[in-house]
Amino acid sequence: SAVISQKPSRDICQRGTSLTIQCQVDSQVTMMFWYRQQPGQSLTLIATANQGSEATYESGFVIDKFPISRPNLTFSTLTVSNMSPEDSSIYLCSVLGTSTGELFFGEGSRLTVL
Amino acid sequence: AQSVTQPDIHITVSEGASLELRCNYSYGATPYLFWYVQSPGQGLQLLLKYFSGDTLVQGIKGFEAEFKRSQSSFNLRKPSVHWSDAAEYFCAVGDDAGGTSYGKLTFGQGTILTVHP
């Protein structure tokens, strides 16, 4: 299994500002994924972050709004830019474990935008 | 596109009673299926997964799930619920294309389980 730490665990932000969420994994992993869980909703994949290349975004998500960095095999950041109340969500970092297809999740970062 | 439906938004059971959470999926090929649990303030924890083989899979915490291709279902069961099982449960389907696709899961809406003493 993988231990995933996210910072911050929660934050309250003002409209128009940006927030960067950090994800640290206790082992080297090739693929990291960022998911969003809006209030009362299910999880939706934002993007795939691979080390050494640009992130791959899912339909409905763009790099200008959710820039992602992946400087090494144990760390990634997701920035939520120019926030609006609609961005209030839990953002979860996840990684693929050594067992094929097993996805491990961090505890999430709960973001509230006023 | 694949999709997952969890028909029950909220289920309440008494402690010690049996439990079945429903999950239906829509996917053209053989799906990879998962059940995750999310306790308040916690991240998601994998309960069990189905890739191939025996259609009845055993997971952690006494949970099991049965893959029924004819019904496009992957229902989660537990014979006797404990108060600590109160949480939200998510069914998810993965693409069998491999590689990066293993991390691209489509989740259901979730079922909130309440356990009465």
Side-chain angles (χ1 to χ4, degrees):
Chain A
S1 65
V3 177
I4 303 170
S5 302
Q6 285 187 234
K7 291 181 181 180
S9 58
R10 59 177 63 231
D11 207 341
I12 300 174
C13 302
Q14 297 299 315
R15 182 195 298 260
T17 62
S18 299
L19 179 75
T20 296
I21 301 168
Q22 300 178 1
C23 177
Q24 179 75 52
V25 188
D26 68 341
S27 58
Q28 294 185 336
V29 293
T30 303
M31 289 179 280
M32 297 178 74
F33 304 85
W34 286 97
Y35 280 81
R36 181 176 73 179
Q37 185 178 18
Q38 293 179 297
Q41 303 289 318
S42 186
L43 285 82
T44 302
L45 179 64
I46 298 172
T48 303
N50 295 319
Q51 195 267 338
S53 63
E54 282 198 2
T56 303
Y57 290 83
E58 298 299 305
S59 176
F61 298 96
V62 295
I63 187 171
D64 290 345
K65 177 66 176 178
F66 298 101
I68 289 171
S69 76
R70 183 79 198 276
N72 56 53
L73 291 176
T74 64
F75 188 78
S76 177
T77 67
L78 169 76
T79 298
V80 186
S81 303
N82 188 24
M83 289 183 286
S84 67
E86 292 71 34
D87 294 319
S88 297
S89 298
I90 300 174
Y91 293 86
L92 297 111
C93 172
S94 62
V95 303
L96 275 177
T98 54
S99 300
T100 302
E102 190 160 349
L103 202 59
F104 296 95
F105 286 86
E107 293 187 358
S109 299
R110 182 182 295 271
L111 178 61
T112 301
V113 184
L114 303 179
Chain B
Q2 56 207 42
S3 65
V4 179
T5 301
Q6 293 179 245
D8 305 305
I9 296 173
H10 197 166
I11 283 184
T12 300
V13 299
S14 298
E15 191 169 17
S18 64
L19 172 70
E20 182 170 31
L21 302 182
R22 296 183 291 165
C23 172
N24 293 98
Y25 67 89
S26 172
Y27 187 65
T30 299
Y32 290 168
L33 295 161
F34 306 82
W35 274 100
Y36 283 86
V37 60
Q38 185 178 37
S39 299
Q42 304 286 317
L44 277 81
Q45 182 181 23
L46 180 67
L47 286 175
L48 46 79
K49 62 182 184 286
Y50 171 80
F51 284 177
S52 64
D54 193 346
T55 56
L56 183 63
V57 293
Q58 302 296 321
I60 62 172
K61 303 185 179 186
F63 285 93
E64 67 177 26
E66 186 171 12
F67 170 57
K68 292 186 177 180
R69 184 187 301 276
S70 62
Q71 298 177 18
S72 297
S73 69
F74 189 56
N75 295 347
L76 182 71
R77 300 193 294 250
K78 187 170 185 177
S80 178
V81 171
H82 188 262
W83 64 266
S84 61
D85 293 325
E88 188 162 16
Y89 292 79
F90 291 93
C91 181
V93 61
D95 198 312
D96 67 353
T100 305
S101 296
Y102 287 138
K104 296 184 175 182
L105 300 186
T106 299
F107 284 83
Q109 291 293 95
T111 298
I112 298 172
L113 174 65
T114 298
V115 180
H116 281 167

